[in-house]
Amino acid sequence: MSRLRKTELAKVGFGLIVAMIVTALGCAILALPGEESGLAGAVMLNLDQAGAKNPVTAVLLNFRGYDTLLEIAVLLLAVLGARALAVDESADDSEHFRSSINPVLIGFIRVIAPVMIIVAGYLLWVGGHAPGGAFQAGAVLASLGVLLVLADINWTQHLSDYSERILLTISLVVFLSVGLATMFNARNFLEFSPSTAKWCILLIEAVATVSIAVILLALFCCGKISNARKYHETTRGRVE
Amino acid sequence: MTTVTLYALCGVILFGIGFYGVIICRHLLRKVMALNLMGTGVFLILIALARRTPGDRPDPVPHAMVLTGIVVAVSATALALALLRRLHRETEIGDLPHDAK
Amino acid sequence: MSFELTILGLILVPLAAGIAAFIVTRFAAILAVATALLQSLFAFRLAGYVLSNGPLRYKIGGWGAPLGIDLYVDGLSALMVIMTALVGLAVATYSTSYFAIPEHGREHRSNVDIFWPLFLILWSALNALFLSADIFNLYVTLELLTLSAIALIGLAGTVKSLQAALRYLLIAMSASLFYLLGVALLYSVYGTVDWELLGAQMQFDLPDRCAIVLICVGLLLKTALFPLHFWLPAAHANAPAPASALLSGLVLKASFYVLLRMWFDVFPYADLRAVGNLLGILGAAAIVWGSVQAIRQQHLKLLVAYSTVAQIGYLFLVFSLASEPSASWNAWNGAAYFSVSHAFAKAAAFMAAGSLVFATGSAKIDDLAGIAQQQPVTVFAFALAGVGLMGLPPSGAFLSKWLLLNASLSSGKWFFTAVILLGSLLAAIYVFRVVAKSFEAGERQPTRHVPALMQWTPLVLALLSIGLGIVATRPLELLKIGAPVAIEKTP
């Protein structure tokens, strides 16, 4: 009973602390200047040099492209971590029990898959001048991959672990290479010339779409796309 | 109070709720969700404050920061879930012991 | 080789090597050691550039701050990069042997394949952090660092390590969000995230104060200052030995470096005297509490981990001591040099502890009885690392503590003088406990053979930590370059 009391007290006490933090932050927000353009002016001024008409894409891939490079490395790290933690799924027989494949799901995928691929391509292209880009496109492709895994459609059959690792890292490799390639023209790392910036950005984004899709799908499958296959094999064997 | 400050204040409140959840919730899945709520709060604040430009176009730099932040949050969540899944497989328990060692 | 290639190479070479090590697993170990050698070369070259040219900037993408992201290097960051390079080289060498042991590669062969990419990306993240001039970019590098650290802890695969990794993840990620919110507030006031530009215009209004508190809390959580250290001992003690060495020696220093940078270069630190005193007192509490806990531990690696809690305390004395102009230069130097010497000594201690745990097959200190006869090199390495932790002359820790003592005397803060001395005494007790146990007479089971690299690498690193006191003039000269304007430089 006293222990219960103690946890209740801790909750109330901590709640008060959080309320104080929230109040202080709220006052700080209210005290901020009402109008402040930040770096919007500088971005707009340099936008025609940046190779993308969409200011957000220009910031992501050009002005602050280095952040994006590191952030793809962060995604890759999550896959590395998931791979380090994955255990052999085939040894497991309690989880992922699948009685049968849902025919409605299969039918749905038949309709939705082509649309999703087109949407991903559109998002990638439109990112140049309107909201969109590699991450959005990659997320759409990855969700298509998740649907395929759920429907037990075995499209990764011919994908070896080696090629999977290449797909996971290809965007970092391309990003780094493009960045280094710009240095041959006596420019800085990741300094695109205004004339080629558009194509550099498109190349990086296109490859990033693939890598991001594969990375997100791999995260869904515990770090390895081939894991999905493995657990279907075991569960199907059991159902039959 | 403008719309901007309203959204930013909502962000602050979400941040607070999330932080409360990370510390107080027992189950790890809830903690992970609370962490994401905290992140959402910060992102909402960034997006809201980016709208204080004089013209009709918001400041794109915080938008790019939020995209970066979202990717980081996705990665952290994925890693947390991978750890959680492995821990659950080994112990069948969904929370952390009080004794830290 | 130009300055551009050197500074970029420090960040990009380990990143590229990490990718390569992930794809071609067979050559990962060779690749990592080669990268480590190259990094040491780069690091010293970078220091050379700083010594001859002063602080340098590099504009990534050619835009320049505030629109783009700049890299920045001065004496402090160059010294941190050298520290990372040397400790990293030692850890890489140690790990080639450590992960070749079947027990550590264990049934999951994949662990070894994952360790090298993680290690190399962690290295890249550390260098990127030390060389960044952009506080949002610092957020990204902190995340890169934290996620690789978490994955390294989880690599051990035991229930305890999983729990520790999850706790670390939850704490470190909330800490990052605190930091990010602070950055968001600063950006929304000043419209820049470059720390030099911020430092030039920073005021002390309510939003600034909130941002300062948020950033400090975030970084204190990540640096594990008492009483926010609760996640540290389990995380550092349960990771594989090379990972523990990296975490305790380097990863903690990264968030401390950011705080040091922010405090003296960005924040209006003259207004923060009270907070600085609070941090100093927490540091003093950490020294006493961490040391006492270390003395009470039964497990070798937990003892070393609690020693980290204590040693982190010394670093935080600077925030109180530097508020006196007469003491600020000594205090700042002392803290910067302490983090280097601690990195060497602690990495050596963790690696030696890993070798001892492997030799005896037990994590308990009591099972070390009489091991000195069978593992003389490793025990000697641990003892020498202990000397580096206690701060006996001529170690680097001695010099740094001496600088801190001077600062505390000249600022009249006698309390800190007493705590610094007490901390050394307590450190002597916990190191002596282990060493005395290992010399205990009596029969003991023969221990497992420890590979030569796992014996000698900790010894070399421990010797380096002691040598740091002898070769201190060059590093201290380096530290002067670009030292914060707020600090009064006295020779």
Side-chain angles (χ1 to χ4, degrees):
Chain A
M1 189 61 203
S2 70
R3 176 148 183 207
L4 199 70
R5 202 63 173 281
K6 234 177 177 174
T7 54
E8 291 300 313
L9 263 178
K11 277 184 191 174
V12 173
F14 189 71
L16 285 175
I17 295 174
V18 170
M20 271 159 58
I21 298 175
V22 168
T23 317
L25 288 175
C27 292
I29 297 272
L30 291 174
L32 284 175
E35 208 169 82
E36 164 74 48
S37 49
L39 289 171
V43 171
M44 290 307 161
L45 209 62
N46 292 293
L47 199 58
D48 16 317
Q49 310 278 308
K53 290 200 193 76
N54 176 12
V56 178
T57 306
V59 174
L60 266 182
L61 271 302
N62 201 332
F63 303 134
R64 300 185 67 89
Y66 175 57
D67 271 347
T68 309
L69 174 73
L70 292 183
E71 139 199 4
I72 298 177
V74 171
L75 270 174
L76 182 67
L77 265 181
V79 177
L80 286 175
R83 281 184 171 225
L85 293 163
V87 281
D88 197 4
E89 296 285 343
S90 54
D92 172 51
D93 56 2
S94 62
E95 270 183 89
H96 314 300
F97 180 73
R98 304 162 53 78
S99 49
S100 63
I101 307 298
N102 188 343
V104 179
L105 183 61
I106 304 259
F108 176 67
I109 289 176
R110 284 215 178 99
V111 178
I112 202 83
V115 181
M116 286 176 93
I117 291 172
I118 290 171
V119 167
Y122 172 75
L123 280 174
L124 171 64
W125 178 254
V126 86
H129 52 89
F135 287 98
Q136 292 84 336
V140 172
L141 281 187
S143 48
L144 175 60
V146 170
L147 280 178
L148 292 178
V149 170
L150 291 179
D152 200 11
I153 294 171
N154 199 354
W155 63 282
T156 55
Q157 210 167 3
H158 301 294
L159 190 71
S160 70
D161 191 40
Y162 182 71
S163 27
E164 189 186 324
R165 287 196 301 252
I166 288 183
L167 281 179
L168 286 169
T169 51
I170 185 130
S171 68
L172 265 180
V173 173
V174 168
F175 211 142
L176 276 175
S177 321
V178 171
L180 291 175
T182 59
M183 293 178 75
F184 282 108
N185 285 333
R187 286 169 180 276
N188 281 357
F189 179 67
L190 283 176
E191 181 178 359
F192 311 129
S193 75
S195 53
T196 54
K198 184 178 179 183
W199 300 108
C200 290
I201 289 179
L202 194 65
L203 172 68
I204 292 174
E205 287 222 276
V207 182
T209 306
V210 176
S211 269
I212 289 166
V214 175
I215 286 173
L216 292 178
L217 184 59
L219 287 174
F220 181 78
C221 309
C222 302
K224 263 186 204 178
I225 294 181
S226 44
N227 273 356
R229 192 165 63 225
K230 208 181 280 170
Y231 82 60
H232 282 309
E233 274 163 16
T234 50
T235 47
R236 193 193 287 153
R238 224 152 53 82
V239 172
E240 283 160 5
Chain B
M1 188 190 290
T2 59
T3 343
V4 168
T5 43
L6 187 67
Y7 278 107
L9 288 179
C10 279
V12 170
I13 292 169
L14 281 180
F15 181 79
I17 296 173
F19 184 49
Y20 180 84
V22 171
I23 303 294
I24 295 294
C25 287
R26 294 281 327 246
H27 199 281
L28 281 166
L29 202 53
R30 279 173 191 251
K31 279 183 191 276
V32 173
M33 284 162 74
L35 197 63
N36 274 288
L37 196 60
M38 239 177 124
T40 311
V42 178
F43 302 151
L44 187 58
I45 295 171
L46 268 166
I47 293 285
L49 294 180
R51 195 62 196 79
R52 296 175 306 152
T53 45
D56 57 344
R57 302 203 79 163
D59 181 1
V61 175
H63 287 231
M65 288 177 179
V66 167
L67 273 173
T68 308
I70 288 174
V71 173
V72 169
V74 167
S75 313
T77 309
L79 192 56
L81 291 178
L83 277 165
L84 186 52
R85 195 161 176 277
R86 174 75 181 270
L87 187 65
H88 185 258
R89 182 183 299 271
E90 311 251 332
T91 61
E92 302 280 314
I93 299 172
D95 50 11
L96 291 175
H98 278 297
D99 177 25
K101 288 160 216 159
Chain C
M1 198 173 50
S2 64
F3 163 71
E4 286 79 20
L5 286 179
T6 314
I7 194 166
L8 284 175
L10 281 164
I11 299 168
L12 302 182
V13 168
L15 184 61
I19 299 168
F22 176 56
I23 298 176
V24 192
T25 45
R26 195 185 305 166
F27 303 112
I30 302 168
L31 193 66
V33 175
T35 310
L37 286 169
L38 195 62
Q39 288 293 296
S40 313
L41 188 77
F42 280 160
F44 281 106
R45 278 204 71 103
L46 188 73
Y49 283 117
V50 172
L51 276 174
S52 52
N53 299 324
L56 290 163
R57 266 182 182 256
Y58 180 79
K59 295 173 184 163
I60 291 183
W63 298 103
L67 184 58
I69 299 170
D70 283 4
L71 297 180
Y72 172 87
V73 55
D74 64 5
L76 177 63
S77 37
L79 192 65
M80 292 290 144
V81 169
I82 292 178
M83 163 187 97
T84 309
L86 294 180
V87 174
L89 177 61
V91 172
T93 319
Y94 182 86
S95 305
T96 49
S97 268
Y98 183 87
F99 283 103
I101 294 169
E103 187 181 295
H104 297 135
R106 230 196 306 228
E107 61 272 29
H108 332 96
R109 159 90 197 137
S110 68
N111 273 6
V112 197
D113 298 344
I114 296 292
F115 171 78
W116 291 111
L118 282 177
F119 167 69
L120 288 164
I121 295 178
L122 178 110
W123 196 333
S124 170
L126 279 167
N127 280 346
L129 185 140
F130 291 135
L131 296 173
S132 180
D134 182 294
I135 61 172
F136 183 78
N137 184 247
L138 279 175
Y139 163 75
V140 181
T141 55
L142 274 171
E143 295 303 66
L144 201 56
L145 192 62
T146 311
L147 284 184
S148 44
I150 292 164
L152 280 173
I153 300 171
L155 215 54
T158 58
V159 171
K160 276 184 180 174
S161 76
L162 293 173
Q163 286 169 339
L166 256 171
R167 184 175 277 118
Y168 180 43
L169 186 145
L170 291 167
I171 295 302
M173 287 299 147
S174 342
S176 301
L177 290 170
F178 270 87
Y179 177 86
L180 180 62
L181 187 53
V183 172
L185 280 178
L186 286 183
Y187 177 81
S188 58
V189 179
Y190 301 108
T192 178
V193 278
D194 182 85
W195 61 254
E196 251 180 2
L197 295 176
L198 270 177
Q201 26 180 332
M202 191 120 168
Q203 307 288 312
F204 201 51
D205 300 333
L206 182 63
D208 305 86
R209 289 182 203 205
C210 280
I212 290 172
V213 171
L214 286 168
I215 288 176
C216 284
V217 169
L219 293 172
L220 291 183
L221 269 169
K222 285 206 179 224
T223 321
L225 176 65
F226 176 88
L228 305 174
H229 68 283
F230 50 90
W231 56 267
L232 182 143
H236 287 197
N238 290 310
S244 309
L246 290 170
L247 293 171
S248 252
L250 301 176
V251 175
L252 288 177
K253 303 302 160 48
S255 45
F256 175 73
Y257 163 86
V258 178
L259 188 61
L260 194 68
R261 190 56 99 192
M262 290 276 190
W263 192 274
F264 292 108
D265 285 310
V266 181
F267 298 163
Y269 93 104
D271 296 320
L272 292 172
R273 186 174 287 241
V275 188
N277 281 333
L278 177 69
L279 291 185
I281 288 168
L282 289 180
I287 295 172
V288 177
W289 169 263
S291 305
V292 170
Q293 288 298 320
I295 292 171
R296 294 181 53 213
Q297 293 311 309
Q298 299 305 315
H299 289 79
L300 183 58
K301 285 184 78 183
L302 268 175
L303 179 146
V304 187
Y306 269 106
S307 152
T308 300
V309 174
Q311 306 271 322
I312 286 297
Y314 286 101
L315 299 175
F316 282 90
L317 299 183
V318 65
F319 298 112
S320 171
L321 294 176
S323 57
E324 299 295 329
S326 60
S328 58
W329 177 240
N330 275 341
W332 189 80
N333 255 332
Y337 208 54
F338 191 88
S339 58
V340 178
S341 65
H342 175 254
F344 283 68
K346 188 49 59 75
F350 259 123
M351 291 196 284
S355 302
L356 290 176
V357 169
F358 168 70
T360 55
S362 154
K364 288 208 168 127
I365 296 172
D366 286 340
D367 292 336
L368 291 176
I371 198 176
Q373 284 169 0
Q374 294 171 33
Q375 303 291 343
V377 180
T378 313
V379 171
F380 187 50
F382 189 87
L384 276 185
V387 169
L389 291 175
M390 287 178 245
L392 295 185
S395 66
F398 167 75
L399 183 83
S400 341
K401 282 186 184 176
W402 193 67
L403 288 168
L404 287 171
L405 275 176
N406 259 341
S408 69
L409 290 174
S410 61
S411 62
K413 292 182 175 165
W414 301 100
F415 168 67
F416 291 126
T417 318
V419 170
I420 293 170
L421 293 174
L422 178 67
S424 300
L425 186 69
L426 292 172
I429 296 175
Y430 60 70
V431 172
F432 188 70
R433 237 191 95 202
V434 177
V435 177
K437 197 70 175 172
S438 59
F439 278 101
E440 213 165 69
E443 290 296 303
R444 71 160 292 130
Q445 301 280 318
T447 53
R448 274 187 283 188
H449 171 70
V450 178
L453 277 179
M454 279 173 67
Q455 297 184 27
W456 290 96
T457 317
L459 184 64
V460 170
L461 202 57
L463 281 171
L464 275 177
S465 92
I466 289 173
L468 275 177
I470 302 166
V471 296
T473 40
R474 290 291 275 181
L476 290 182
E477 206 176 297
L478 186 63
L479 273 176
K480 267 185 199 163
I481 294 167
V485 260
I487 290 207
E488 196 175 281
K489 283 178 217 177
T490 44

